[in-house]
Amino acid sequence: MNAQTAAAIEAQGVSHAFSQATAPLAVLSDVSLTIRAGEMVSLLGPSGCGKSTLLNIIGGLLPPNAGSVRLDGQALSGIMPHKMSFVFQENALFPWNTVLENLLVALEFQGVPPAQRAPRAAAALAAVHMSEFSGFYPAQLSGGMKQRVALARGLSLQTDILLMDEPFAALDEQTRMVFGEDLSVMLAETGKTIVMVTHSLSEAVFLSDRIFVMTSRPGKIKAVVEVKKEHPRTPDFVVSEQFAAIRSELYELLHDEIRRSVESAQQIPKRDDG
Ligand SMILES: Nc1ncnc2c1ncn2[C@@H]1O[C@H](COP(=O)(O)OP(=O)(O)O)[C@@H](O)[C@H]1O
Ligand SMILES: [Mg+2]
């Protein structure tokens, strides 16, 4: 994949509440952030703090109650399939299509010329080590394999921006490690602007240029932590002092927030299913 001219994302004063049976649930409160073109950032925060909601707002899937999102300086209004692709938590593969067909359909939807579709799909499947499974149906794959196909699909689309919601959630720990290394290589090559939601401290440190740490709900940006290390990153980074220091900084920042969100969940158990 060629390096592309990536777009920058700017969120200004984004707030959002979901209406509920009783009172509205305030989920995001005055979130502002700027993501530079070609940057890889993570949104890290306690469960239910509004990470997925913020990602959906950035992706144009959900209009915020207040505030605005701009892409390349232009106001965002709805999804922009030519600019942004998504890799969701629950990988949405078509069950009646094979692995390869799932990628081809996505490329067709994006308007990629027919002759380019097959080679691009094949390259993306190779990048996630799934070439052998091109002819399989989703039902024949493990959760982790489906997740890799979803990631291949996101990477194969020629968008400047890739939004990922806990892309490794379904992978076991060893696969995650290897996969994280491969992803670091892929990300370095694509030049895409990437926003990833994660609740894993190590994943955030390993992959990100900057980490936006969020408070418990209603989510705000509590801190922005920078990881000054070139890509692709290799396993020796994981055992470095720099890695450990950033990971403990994140832990410190998150600890009180997680306690707060657990305690509020105990008080109003029905409200927290995030
Ligand atoms: N469509 C929705 N309608 C009502 N409540 C929602 C909806 N989506 C999310 N929520 C609630 O908003 C809160 C934040 O959700 P979410 O953004 O998914 O959190 P996170 O991804 O950080 O775990 C949670 O309490 C969740 O239950
Ligand atoms: Mg989420």
Side-chain angles (χ1 to χ4, degrees):
M1 265 164 280
N2 296 325
Q4 297 166 40
T5 33
I9 303 166
E10 209 182 340
Q12 264 302 329
V14 168
S15 296
H16 196 75
F18 286 110
S19 49
Q20 291 219 326
T22 48
L25 181 70
V27 172
L28 293 172
S29 167
D30 195 18
V31 172
S32 296
L33 50 84
T34 302
I35 298 164
R36 294 186 284 268
E39 208 180 6
M40 164 75 190
V41 306
S42 294
L43 305 176
L44 180 73
S47 177
C49 77
K51 301 182 293 295
S52 296
T53 304
L54 180 57
L55 196 76
N56 290 340
I57 289 172
I58 290 174
L61 298 167
L62 180 71
N65 294 155
S68 63
V69 178
R70 299 175 84 78
L71 293 187
D72 277 337
Q74 305 249 319
L76 178 74
S77 58
I79 58 165
M80 304 182 75
H82 292 270
K83 282 206 167 242
M84 286 189 282
S85 43
F86 300 87
V87 180
F88 286 120
Q89 224 162 346
E90 66 293 339
N91 49 80
L93 300 177
F94 293 128
W96 54 83
N97 282 340
T98 63
V99 163
L100 180 63
E101 287 162 356
N102 263 286
L103 267 70
L104 295 175
V105 165
L107 291 165
E108 183 181 351
F109 178 71
Q110 215 206 6
V112 173
Q116 292 178 19
R117 290 177 205 156
R120 219 196 271 180
L125 286 174
V128 299
H129 309 293
M130 285 294 291
S131 305
E132 295 163 64
F133 302 96
S134 307
F136 282 53
Y137 287 90
Q140 297 172 297
L141 306 175
S142 70
M145 291 162 113
K146 282 188 268 195
Q147 199 63 29
R148 285 196 257 166
V149 176
L151 189 57
R153 184 176 54 185
L155 288 166
S156 72
L157 296 174
Q158 228 162 30
T159 59
D160 291 342
I161 301 171
L162 181 63
L163 304 179
M164 306 198 286
D165 196 344
E166 308 220 17
F168 307 121
L171 306 183
D172 63 83
E173 203 181 335
Q174 283 91 38
T175 312
R176 271 178 151 192
M177 260 161 42
V178 174
F179 212 51
E181 292 163 31
D182 293 350
L183 189 68
S184 179
V185 175
M186 288 186 251
L187 301 187
E189 286 170 358
T190 63
K192 287 178 194 275
T193 307
I194 300 185
V195 187
M196 174 177 83
V197 166
T198 181
H199 61 251
S200 162
L201 307 183
S202 300
E203 213 164 272
V205 181
F206 190 72
L207 292 169
S208 315
D209 296 312
R210 284 189 303 152
I211 302 157
F212 292 95
V213 182
M214 294 174 69
T215 65
S216 57
R217 195 179 59 231
K220 293 184 261 308
I221 305 297
K222 175 169 179 154
V224 185
V225 174
E226 200 167 346
V227 184
K228 286 190 181 140
K229 175 85 183 167
E230 69 286 0
H231 297 271
R233 295 173 182 167
T234 51
D236 43 316
F237 177 48
V238 180
V239 293
S240 68
E241 276 175 28
Q242 184 192 9
F243 191 96
I246 299 172
R247 201 181 175 287
S248 28
E249 184 183 352
L250 294 175
Y251 182 80
E252 291 288 316
L253 285 164
L254 273 179
H255 181 265
D256 294 347
E257 300 303 327
I258 291 171
R259 175 157 295 284
R260 207 167 294 152
S261 80
V262 168
E263 281 165 5
S264 79
Q266 279 161 354
Q267 281 157 21
I268 18 173
K270 278 192 130 173
R271 275 194 180 180
D272 200 325
D273 58 3

